[in-house]
């Protein structure tokens, strides 16, 4: 796994397949532990991520860490990736063609990690990976099985910073994620 993973990371860091490479400081390959059953997928790096090369280290990332901690998880137990690995200027949504040119890296990450659970953080990931019409406010917290993987869409932590009233609903989703992790652990025991 390590060799393949490192080779993929190297390829990703050298990527110039879409114009986002021209304005990036760092490629943000992902963060956490690739030896896991649980993957979170966000949208794309923000300013802090671009500067540090690490996923979800800005304010949204700090909130994500709090939600993980609230259900006894941390970054050593999960892998956190993004739909696009380079920061879209001014934090705009990634364009569909940028997502398409980058998604091969995410597919490879999923192929190597072989997660049992994928949680989409926000609309961009949920619409691309679960259902193009996905509505986070209506469908968050629902499990959808695809190809042997359980998918869930939940609120993007940046959206929760803008709308803190949605935090209790997001917490319910994290409790479901924790319960699913517990089920997997019970199956393995
Ligand atoms: N928002 C994202 O979607 N991903 C990050 O890595 C940081 C903020």
């Amino acid at each position: 796994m390590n060799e393949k993973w490192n080779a993929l990371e190297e390829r990703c860091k050298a990527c110039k397949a879409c114009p986002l490479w021209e304005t990036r400081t760092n490629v943000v390959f992902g963060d956490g532990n690739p030896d896991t059953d649980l993957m979170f997928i966000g949208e794309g790096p923000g300013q802090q991520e671009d500067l540090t090369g690490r996923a979800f280290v800005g304010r949204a990332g700090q909130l994500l860490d709090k939600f993980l901690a609230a259900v006894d998880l941390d970054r050593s137990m999960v892998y956190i990736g993004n739909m696009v690995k380079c920061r879209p200027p001014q934090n705009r949504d990634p364009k569909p063609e940028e997502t398409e040119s980058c998604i091969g890296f995410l597919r490879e990450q999923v192929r190597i990690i072989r997660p049992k659970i994928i949680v989409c953080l926000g609309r961009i990931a949920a619409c691309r990976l679960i259902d193009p019409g996905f509505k986070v406010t209506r469908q968050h917290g629902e499990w959808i099985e695809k190809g042997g993987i359980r998918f869930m869409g939940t609120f993007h932590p940046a959206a929760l910073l803008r709308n803190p009233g949605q935090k209790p609903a997001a917490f319910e989703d994290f409790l479901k994620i924790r319960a699913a992790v517990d089920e997997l652990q019970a199956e393995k025991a």
Side-chain angles (χ1 to χ4, degrees), residues 28 41-47 49 54-58 60-61 80-84 121 156-158:
V28 180
I41 301 178
E43 188 176 310
Q47 185 181 34
E49 291 76 20
R54 283 189 67 203
F56 279 99
V57 290
I80 306 173
N82 276 308
M83 295 305 299
V84 294
L121 297 169
H156 193 290

Short mmCIF file of all heavy atoms in Angstrom, two decimals, residues 28 41-47 49 54-58 60-61 80-84 121 156-158, ligand 1:
data_model
loop_
_atom_site.label_atom_id
_atom_site.label_comp_id
_atom_site.label_asym_id
_atom_site.label_seq_id
_atom_site.Cartn_x
_atom_site.Cartn_y
_atom_site.Cartn_z
N VAL A 28 -2.85 19.84 -2.11
CA VAL A 28 -3.33 19.27 -0.85
C VAL A 28 -3.84 17.86 -1.15
O VAL A 28 -4.98 17.67 -1.59
CB VAL A 28 -4.42 20.15 -0.21
CG1 VAL A 28 -4.90 19.55 1.10
CG2 VAL A 28 -3.88 21.56 0.01
N ILE A 41 -14.79 13.38 2.55
CA ILE A 41 -14.38 14.07 1.33
C ILE A 41 -15.02 15.46 1.29
O ILE A 41 -16.26 15.60 1.30
CB ILE A 41 -14.74 13.25 0.08
CG1 ILE A 41 -14.03 11.88 0.19
CG2 ILE A 41 -14.33 13.99 -1.20
CD1 ILE A 41 -14.31 10.92 -0.91
N GLY A 42 -14.16 16.46 1.26
CA GLY A 42 -14.61 17.85 1.20
C GLY A 42 -14.62 18.35 -0.23
O GLY A 42 -14.69 17.57 -1.19
N GLU A 43 -14.49 19.65 -0.35
CA GLU A 43 -14.66 20.28 -1.65
C GLU A 43 -13.29 20.54 -2.29
O GLU A 43 -12.94 19.96 -3.32
CB GLU A 43 -15.41 21.57 -1.37
CG GLU A 43 -15.88 22.32 -2.55
CD GLU A 43 -16.69 23.54 -2.09
OE1 GLU A 43 -17.61 23.38 -1.25
OE2 GLU A 43 -16.40 24.64 -2.57
N GLY A 44 -12.54 21.40 -1.65
CA GLY A 44 -11.22 21.73 -2.17
C GLY A 44 -10.51 22.58 -1.14
O GLY A 44 -11.13 23.12 -0.23
N PRO A 45 -9.18 22.69 -1.26
CA PRO A 45 -8.41 23.46 -0.28
C PRO A 45 -8.84 24.92 -0.22
O PRO A 45 -9.19 25.51 -1.25
CB PRO A 45 -6.97 23.36 -0.81
CG PRO A 45 -6.97 22.28 -1.84
CD PRO A 45 -8.36 22.15 -2.35
N GLY A 46 -8.79 25.48 0.97
CA GLY A 46 -8.97 26.92 1.16
C GLY A 46 -7.59 27.56 1.31
O GLY A 46 -6.56 26.93 1.02
N GLN A 47 -7.58 28.78 1.82
CA GLN A 47 -6.31 29.51 1.89
C GLN A 47 -5.29 28.83 2.81
O GLN A 47 -4.13 28.65 2.44
CB GLN A 47 -6.58 30.94 2.39
CG GLN A 47 -5.33 31.80 2.37
CD GLN A 47 -5.61 33.20 2.88
OE1 GLN A 47 -6.42 33.41 3.77
NE2 GLN A 47 -4.94 34.17 2.31
N GLU A 49 -5.16 25.77 3.79
CA GLU A 49 -4.77 24.47 3.24
C GLU A 49 -3.75 24.66 2.12
O GLU A 49 -2.76 23.94 2.01
CB GLU A 49 -6.01 23.73 2.72
CG GLU A 49 -6.97 23.26 3.81
CD GLU A 49 -7.82 24.37 4.41
OE1 GLU A 49 -7.96 25.42 3.75
OE2 GLU A 49 -8.35 24.18 5.53
N ARG A 54 -1.93 20.97 3.87
CA ARG A 54 -2.71 19.99 4.65
C ARG A 54 -4.20 20.26 4.52
O ARG A 54 -4.63 21.42 4.50
CB ARG A 54 -2.34 20.07 6.14
CG ARG A 54 -1.02 19.42 6.46
CD ARG A 54 -0.84 19.36 7.98
NE ARG A 54 -1.79 18.45 8.62
CZ ARG A 54 -2.13 18.55 9.91
NH1 ARG A 54 -1.66 19.50 10.68
NH2 ARG A 54 -2.99 17.67 10.43
N ALA A 55 -5.00 19.18 4.49
CA ALA A 55 -6.44 19.32 4.30
C ALA A 55 -7.12 19.76 5.60
O ALA A 55 -6.76 19.32 6.69
CB ALA A 55 -7.05 18.00 3.84
N PHE A 56 -8.07 20.63 5.48
CA PHE A 56 -8.94 21.04 6.60
C PHE A 56 -8.14 21.49 7.83
O PHE A 56 -8.28 20.92 8.91
CB PHE A 56 -9.91 19.90 6.97
CG PHE A 56 -11.11 19.83 6.06
CD1 PHE A 56 -11.16 18.93 5.02
CD2 PHE A 56 -12.19 20.69 6.23
CE1 PHE A 56 -12.26 18.87 4.16
CE2 PHE A 56 -13.29 20.65 5.39
CZ PHE A 56 -13.33 19.74 4.36
N VAL A 57 -7.30 22.50 7.64
CA VAL A 57 -6.57 23.05 8.79
C VAL A 57 -7.04 24.46 9.16
O VAL A 57 -6.64 24.99 10.19
CB VAL A 57 -5.03 23.09 8.55
CG1 VAL A 57 -4.45 21.69 8.55
CG2 VAL A 57 -4.69 23.84 7.27
N GLY A 58 -7.90 25.06 8.35
CA GLY A 58 -8.42 26.40 8.66
C GLY A 58 -9.58 26.30 9.65
O GLY A 58 -9.72 25.29 10.36
N ALA A 60 -12.77 25.89 9.21
CA ALA A 60 -13.68 24.77 8.93
C ALA A 60 -13.06 23.46 9.41
O ALA A 60 -13.75 22.61 9.99
CB ALA A 60 -13.99 24.71 7.43
N GLY A 61 -11.77 23.32 9.19
CA GLY A 61 -11.08 22.11 9.63
C GLY A 61 -11.08 21.97 11.14
O GLY A 61 -11.22 20.86 11.67
N ILE A 80 -9.01 12.13 5.34
CA ILE A 80 -9.76 13.29 4.89
C ILE A 80 -9.19 13.76 3.55
O ILE A 80 -8.02 14.13 3.47
CB ILE A 80 -9.66 14.45 5.91
CG1 ILE A 80 -10.08 13.96 7.31
CG2 ILE A 80 -10.54 15.62 5.48
CD1 ILE A 80 -9.85 14.98 8.42
N GLY A 81 -10.03 13.72 2.52
CA GLY A 81 -9.59 14.17 1.19
C GLY A 81 -10.51 15.25 0.65
O GLY A 81 -11.43 15.70 1.34
N ASN A 82 -10.28 15.62 -0.57
CA ASN A 82 -11.08 16.66 -1.22
C ASN A 82 -11.39 16.28 -2.66
O ASN A 82 -10.67 15.48 -3.27
CB ASN A 82 -10.30 17.98 -1.22
CG ASN A 82 -10.45 18.75 0.08
OD1 ASN A 82 -11.55 18.99 0.55
ND2 ASN A 82 -9.32 19.13 0.67
N MET A 83 -12.43 16.89 -3.20
CA MET A 83 -12.77 16.65 -4.62
C MET A 83 -11.66 17.19 -5.53
O MET A 83 -11.32 16.57 -6.51
CB MET A 83 -14.10 17.34 -4.99
CG MET A 83 -15.32 16.79 -4.29
SD MET A 83 -15.54 15.01 -4.50
CE MET A 83 -15.71 14.86 -6.25
N VAL A 84 -11.16 18.39 -5.23
CA VAL A 84 -10.02 18.90 -6.00
C VAL A 84 -8.86 19.16 -5.04
O VAL A 84 -9.07 19.52 -3.88
CB VAL A 84 -10.36 20.19 -6.81
CG1 VAL A 84 -11.36 19.89 -7.90
CG2 VAL A 84 -10.81 21.33 -5.92
N LEU A 121 -18.64 15.80 2.65
CA LEU A 121 -18.83 17.04 3.41
C LEU A 121 -19.32 18.11 2.43
O LEU A 121 -18.53 18.67 1.66
CB LEU A 121 -17.52 17.46 4.07
CG LEU A 121 -16.97 16.47 5.12
CD1 LEU A 121 -15.55 16.84 5.51
CD2 LEU A 121 -17.87 16.45 6.36
N HIS A 156 -21.20 20.74 5.15
CA HIS A 156 -19.79 21.14 5.11
C HIS A 156 -19.52 21.98 6.35
O HIS A 156 -20.33 22.85 6.70
CB HIS A 156 -19.51 21.96 3.84
CG HIS A 156 -18.05 22.12 3.59
ND1 HIS A 156 -17.25 22.91 4.38
CD2 HIS A 156 -17.23 21.58 2.66
CE1 HIS A 156 -16.00 22.85 3.94
NE2 HIS A 156 -15.97 22.05 2.89
N PRO A 157 -18.40 21.75 7.05
CA PRO A 157 -18.15 22.55 8.26
C PRO A 157 -18.12 24.05 7.99
O PRO A 157 -18.49 24.84 8.87
CB PRO A 157 -16.80 22.03 8.77
CG PRO A 157 -16.29 21.06 7.78
CD PRO A 157 -17.40 20.68 6.86
N ALA A 158 -17.71 24.47 6.78
CA ALA A 158 -17.74 25.92 6.48
C ALA A 158 -19.19 26.42 6.46
O ALA A 158 -19.47 27.56 6.88
CB ALA A 158 -17.05 26.20 5.16
N1 LIG B 1 -12.78 23.11 2.79
C1 LIG B 1 -12.70 21.95 2.08
O1 LIG B 1 -13.64 21.54 1.44
N2 LIG B 1 -11.55 21.29 2.13
C2 LIG B 1 -10.49 21.68 2.83
O2 LIG B 1 -9.47 20.99 2.82
C3 LIG B 1 -10.62 22.89 3.57
C4 LIG B 1 -11.76 23.57 3.53
#
